[in-house]
Amino acid sequence: MPIAQPNRFAFGSFSSSSSTERETLKNMAALTTLTPCQATSHFNIRISHYYNQKQNQNQNVYINQTKSIHKAKSSLLSFAFSSLSAKSTSIIPSTHFSTSGSSSSWLQDNTMNLDASSSGSGLREGPIYSVFPAKPAEVSSVQDLYEFICSGPLMDKVGLTAEKVAESIDKWLFYGSKLCRLFQLNELYLTVPEKARFYHYYIPVFLWCEDQISEHRSKFKDGEEIPPLVIGFSAPQGCGKTTLVFALDYLFRITNRKSATLSIDDFYLTAEGQAKLREENPGNALLELRGNAGSHDLPFSVETLTALTKLTKEGRRMKLPRYDKSAYRGKGDRADPSVWPEVEGPLTVILYEGWMLGFKPLPAEVVKAVDPQLETVNKNLEAYYDAWDKFIKAWIVIKIQDPSCVYRWRLQAEVAMREAGKPGMSDEEVEDFVSRYLPAYKAYLPTLYSEGPNGSDPNRLLVIEIDEGRNPILFE
């Protein structure tokens, strides 16, 4: 039977200056009044005509991609009609998520259902948006999405080509649909920033991670136990690394790969250990509170990472540590083990993120020129390679243009929290908080960006430069 209340399917807004493309869109809109079988036949005729015209205009590009794109059109129709017949709400499956870090700027506070006070999962179960829009959506074809993907700034960096995208367009459709549900966004009405965040950022990075996992696993013989690949994410506070890791972890789970997420925040000293650190370093503002090198429990880090890399068989389980930043009036303490999330082997990948991952110790005179208090922090940093970096076999570095962005991002997050009625730092407290990290950024980021993380393999390193909106940009 024809669909009673037809809806057009789309991947964000689309506008066309070409009369041919406008005619194509008008014809595609008619699909929604047909049965699935009628629509498929109609789509075949119209889209083939469109691609034939495009091929004549640019033979070298489209002739190698037509078969893959035609194959993908059935996937798009499948998505459209399966979505229209689906229930209007569903439950997001549970996933392990560390509450450290900040949400991305394009997400509203309530879109991800994060519980900042929780030291466990951090993700509450809740309904997603209905697949039925309140008003007609503009139509966007597979070809439009394909062209949008190919315009992304990470294409070359993650080893993608137009041909590879065309051949795997069904995967892109699947991943995009799942991410919309994860972040409770209506896939018929993605804004350009939302669309870019998925198709120019999260999905390309996920595909790069998949390639790294394949390369890692190829080094082992049949029958050998394969340890999970540890991928490190080095990025400043507030730039969206935690949300990126959250999305990647979800994509691994829905594709039946077991993953674990950790943050360097999970290895902060206990409240008692922090108090001892302050006593041992009187007058050093950089070690007065948690954050800089010296404020982490490195033996506990080694113990945890070693155990995680041994989760190679079914039935092996362990709990992931979590840190409660709200304890002791914001000074923080390790969360009670009863609320730590549990993971089970065999793990495929460990996603490990932190603001200072990969920082290399520098000559004393260099750090003293930035801030004399940094000399002690620099000495503490010497022990961090063996505790953290040596476990990491593939790296993602999120590069910022100006460390002062950290202050603005943190301030945005705190203002949003206050406006939502949640406890948040004042502007003065934000300035004081960020000021304790800025000396380390100024000292260590230039080397991180020019030489890569401590002990990293240049062939297994992905550097992503982002703008103030936390979106990837092209750079040399």
Side-chain angles (χ1 to χ4, degrees), residues 28 30 38 45 97 100 152 225 258 263 274 278 324 329 336 341 360 378-379 386 399 417 435 440 449 476:
M28 288 176 64
Q38 291 171 329
I45 296 170
F97 178 62
S100 56
E225 289 190 7
K258 293 182 179 179
S263 167
Q274 288 183 51
R278 283 192 294 273
D324 183 1
R329 301 179 65 180
D336 189 279
K360 299 177 183 179
N378 190 62
K379 187 169 182 61
D386 287 332
K399 180 180 179 181
M417 287 179 65
S435 69
Y449 296 158
E476 297 296 331

Side-chain angles (χ1 to χ4, degrees), residues 219-235:
K219 297 177 180 179
F220 297 86
K221 298 177 181 178
D222 291 343
E224 285 186 313
E225 289 190 7
I226 303 178
L229 174 67
V230 183
I231 302 178
F233 296 76
S234 182

Side-chain angles (χ1 to χ4, degrees), residues 226-459:
I226 303 178
L229 174 67
V230 183
I231 302 178
F233 296 76
S234 182
Q237 296 109 317
C239 73
K241 65 182 177 300
T242 303
T243 308
L244 170 63
V245 168
F246 173 67
L248 297 176
D249 179 58
Y250 180 73
L251 289 176
F252 279 119
R253 291 175 182 277
I254 64 170
T255 51
N256 298 316
R257 269 81 60 86
K258 293 182 179 179
S259 58
T261 63
L262 280 174
S263 167
I264 64 172
D265 296 357
D266 299 323
F267 299 126
Y268 279 134
L269 293 169
T270 61
E272 182 180 351
Q274 288 183 51
K276 183 178 179 181
L277 182 67
R278 283 192 294 273
E279 293 173 1
E280 293 173 349
N281 297 273
N284 190 329
L286 303 184
L287 295 172
E288 184 178 353
L289 300 173
R290 66 179 187 270
N292 283 289
S295 64
H296 301 89
D297 188 336
L298 298 188
F300 183 49
S301 305
V302 173
E303 177 187 338
T304 302
L305 289 167
T306 300
L308 265 180
T309 56
K310 293 180 179 179
L311 284 185
T312 57
K313 292 183 178 179
E314 293 281 354
R316 291 183 181 176
R317 294 181 175 86
M318 71 170 287
K319 287 192 169 185
L320 300 177
R322 292 294 184 256
Y323 196 82
D324 183 1
K325 295 181 178 180
S326 66
Y328 291 92
R329 301 179 65 180
K331 291 184 177 180
D333 196 7
R334 190 168 298 154
D336 189 279
S338 64
V339 300
W340 294 1
E342 186 178 71
V343 292
E344 179 182 358
L347 290 180
T348 299
V349 63
I350 299 168
L351 308 175
Y352 187 29
E353 54 102 344
W355 72 275
M356 54 170 283
L357 275 181
F359 281 10
K360 299 177 183 179
L362 299 172
E365 60 271 17
V366 174
V367 296
K368 286 173 67 177
V370 175
D371 188 327
Q373 298 179 105
L374 202 57
E375 186 175 10
T376 303
V377 172
N378 190 62
K379 187 169 182 61
N380 294 337
L381 190 59
E382 294 174 359
Y384 276 64
Y385 173 78
D386 287 332
W388 291 354
D389 300 338
K390 77 174 183 180
F391 289 92
I392 299 172
K393 305 305 178 185
W395 286 87
I396 294 175
V397 173
I398 300 177
K399 180 180 179 181
I400 60 175
Q401 299 170 308
D402 181 2
S404 64
C405 289
V406 174
Y407 170 74
R408 291 193 290 273
W409 288 335
R410 186 73 191 192
L411 186 61
Q412 290 170 3
E414 295 299 328
V415 169
M417 287 179 65
R418 295 199 302 264
E419 290 178 348
K422 301 175 183 178
M425 290 187 286
S426 66
D427 293 2
E428 294 74 19
E429 289 171 328
V430 170
E431 184 175 3
D432 176 68
F433 175 82
V434 174
S435 69
R436 300 172 192 270
Y437 293 88
L438 286 179
Y441 284 136
K442 292 177 181 178
Y444 300 114
L445 284 184
T447 303
L448 177 72
Y449 296 158
S450 62
E451 300 178 6
N454 199 0
S456 63
D457 178 354
N459 296 319

Side-chain angles (χ1 to χ4, degrees), residues 34-336:
L34 305 177
T35 65
C37 291
Q38 291 171 329
T40 302
S41 176
H42 188 84
F43 190 88
N44 285 343
I45 296 170
R46 295 298 181 178
I47 205 69
S48 296
H49 176 67
Y50 173 69
Y51 290 136
N52 286 337
Q53 289 185 321
K54 279 291 187 180
Q55 285 177 354
N56 292 333
Q57 295 170 12
N58 194 342
Q59 188 75 14
N60 292 333
V61 175
Y62 286 96
I63 195 168
N64 296 323
Q65 300 163 5
T66 305
K67 289 183 179 179
S68 297
I69 296 173
H70 276 258
K71 176 184 175 183
K73 66 181 186 254
S74 61
S75 299
L76 178 62
L77 288 170
S78 175
F79 274 134
F81 290 112
S82 63
S83 294
L84 291 171
S85 62
K87 294 181 179 179
S88 62
T89 60
S90 65
I91 300 299
I92 298 175
S94 298
T95 183
H96 299 306
F97 178 62
S98 177
T99 57
S100 56
S102 302
S103 300
S104 298
S105 60
W106 57 275
L107 292 172
Q108 299 299 319
D109 278 353
N110 61 351
T111 57
M112 213 161 45
N113 277 340
L114 295 183
D115 183 1
S117 64
S118 170
S119 55
S121 170
L123 178 67
R124 298 197 300 268
E125 291 186 345
I128 63 172
Y129 291 148
S130 169
V131 298
F132 296 99
K135 59 182 180 180
E138 293 185 50
V139 177
S140 180
S141 68
V142 175
Q143 178 69 19
D144 303 326
L145 177 63
Y146 161 76
E147 292 176 354
F148 182 81
I149 292 169
C150 291
S151 70
L154 298 184
M155 284 283 290
D156 291 339
K157 296 186 70 64
V158 300
L160 287 171
T161 63
E163 290 79 8
K164 287 182 179 179
V165 172
E167 291 169 359
S168 61
I169 193 68
D170 53 341
K171 284 188 177 181
W172 290 81
L173 292 167
F174 175 74
Y175 296 151
S177 177
K178 291 297 183 180
L179 288 174
C180 285
R181 283 155 176 74
L182 175 65
F183 289 105
Q184 300 189 12
L185 297 172
N186 190 323
E187 61 190 291
L188 304 184
Y189 293 108
L190 291 181
T191 65
V192 172
E194 291 164 352
K195 188 176 173 184
R197 190 60 59 93
F198 292 164
Y199 294 107
H200 286 176
Y201 194 4
Y202 293 171
I203 297 176
V205 171
F206 177 68
L207 295 175
W208 182 87
C209 290
E210 285 194 313
D211 288 343
Q212 295 301 311
I213 291 171
S214 296
E215 182 178 341
H216 169 72
R217 297 180 72 86
S218 69
K219 297 177 180 179
F220 297 86
K221 298 177 181 178
D222 291 343
E224 285 186 313
E225 289 190 7
I226 303 178
L229 174 67
V230 183
I231 302 178
F233 296 76
S234 182
Q237 296 109 317
C239 73
K241 65 182 177 300
T242 303
T243 308
L244 170 63
V245 168
F246 173 67
L248 297 176
D249 179 58
Y250 180 73
L251 289 176
F252 279 119
R253 291 175 182 277
I254 64 170
T255 51
N256 298 316
R257 269 81 60 86
K258 293 182 179 179
S259 58
T261 63
L262 280 174
S263 167
I264 64 172
D265 296 357
D266 299 323
F267 299 126
Y268 279 134
L269 293 169
T270 61
E272 182 180 351
Q274 288 183 51
K276 183 178 179 181
L277 182 67
R278 283 192 294 273
E279 293 173 1
E280 293 173 349
N281 297 273
N284 190 329
L286 303 184
L287 295 172
E288 184 178 353
L289 300 173
R290 66 179 187 270
N292 283 289
S295 64
H296 301 89
D297 188 336
L298 298 188
F300 183 49
S301 305
V302 173
E303 177 187 338
T304 302
L305 289 167
T306 300
L308 265 180
T309 56
K310 293 180 179 179
L311 284 185
T312 57
K313 292 183 178 179
E314 293 281 354
R316 291 183 181 176
R317 294 181 175 86
M318 71 170 287
K319 287 192 169 185
L320 300 177
R322 292 294 184 256
Y323 196 82
D324 183 1
K325 295 181 178 180
S326 66
Y328 291 92
R329 301 179 65 180
K331 291 184 177 180
D333 196 7
R334 190 168 298 154
D336 189 279

